[in-house]
């Protein structure tokens, strides 16, 4: 998982939103991978020599005005609820299919402001056309 996060971080640093969107769609297309990434983010160590993972560094790069989809998606999994809330606000402000699986996860976040922001997605994004995205997050068994 660390390697995948590092590669996504490099994709974000390149600044090509088309490539970034494609990378996120590949992640979303692998059943359960978004949930596994989120779980991986929660396991990051709080102390010691390995505390600075890419998922934690991305929080510092997040800016609502200029963040690409990868930065927003990765920051939405940050351990700090304030950073997750900023990431969700950025995703809601610039809705695109690539970040929807990450919004789906945050719609069930344990922090109320994060959860509420994630549920502010424009109505056009909650359509049957996004069924494959929802199924990639919640699992194919729910969508069968």
């Amino acid at each position: 998982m660390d390697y995948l996060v590092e590669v996504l971080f490099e994709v974000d640093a390149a600044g090509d939103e088309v490539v970034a969107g494609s990378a996120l769609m590949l992640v979303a297309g692998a059943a359960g991978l978004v949930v596994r990434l989120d779980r991986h983010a929660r396991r990051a160590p709080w102390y010691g020599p390995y505390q600075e993972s890419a998922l934690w560094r991305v929080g510092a790069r997040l800016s609502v005005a200029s963040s690409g989809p990868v930065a927003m998606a990765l920051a939405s999994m940050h351990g700090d609820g304030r950073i997750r809330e900023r990431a969700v606000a950025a995703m809601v402000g610039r809705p695109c299919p690539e970040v929807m699986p990450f919004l789906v996860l945050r719609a069930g976040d344990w922090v109320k402001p994060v959860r509420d922001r994630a549920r502010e997605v424009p109505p056009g994004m909650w359509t049957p056309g996004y069924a494959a995205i929802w199924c990639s997050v919640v699992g194919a068994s729910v969508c069968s």
Side-chain angles (χ1 to χ4, degrees):
M1 280 295 158
D2 285 332
Y3 184 71
L4 175 59
V5 171
E6 291 291 342
V7 169
L8 289 171
F9 199 64
E10 289 175 20
V11 166
D12 179 66
D16 186 333
E17 289 207 21
V18 173
V19 172
S22 296
L24 288 178
M25 290 306 285
L26 286 171
V27 169
L33 186 54
V34 173
V35 173
R36 287 179 54 209
L37 270 174
D38 190 57
R39 191 175 312 132
H40 177 71
R42 304 285 167 251
R43 290 186 18 227
W46 290 91
Y47 59 88
Y50 303 107
Q51 66 184 357
E52 191 66 23
S53 72
L55 283 170
W56 286 88
R57 290 193 317 266
V58 77
R61 294 178 56 165
L62 181 68
S63 115
V64 174
S66 63
S67 294
V70 172
M72 293 185 291
L74 291 177
S76 76
M77 296 183 284
H78 198 280
D80 185 331
R82 294 171 298 236
I83 292 174
R84 285 197 314 278
E85 186 178 4
R86 281 187 14 230
V88 167
M91 290 189 286
V92 168
R94 292 177 39 200
C96 60
E98 295 87 3
V99 299
M100 292 306 291
F102 300 89
L103 280 174
V104 169
L105 280 181
R106 297 291 63 94
D109 200 279
W110 60 92
V111 176
K112 186 176 179 351
V114 175
R115 187 174 57 240
D116 292 346
R117 284 292 253 173
R119 293 174 182 175
E120 292 174 7
V121 175
M125 297 300 282
W126 298 109
T127 63
Y130 288 96
I133 294 171
W134 313 135
C135 290
S136 73
V137 176
V138 298
S141 63
V142 175
C143 298
S144 307

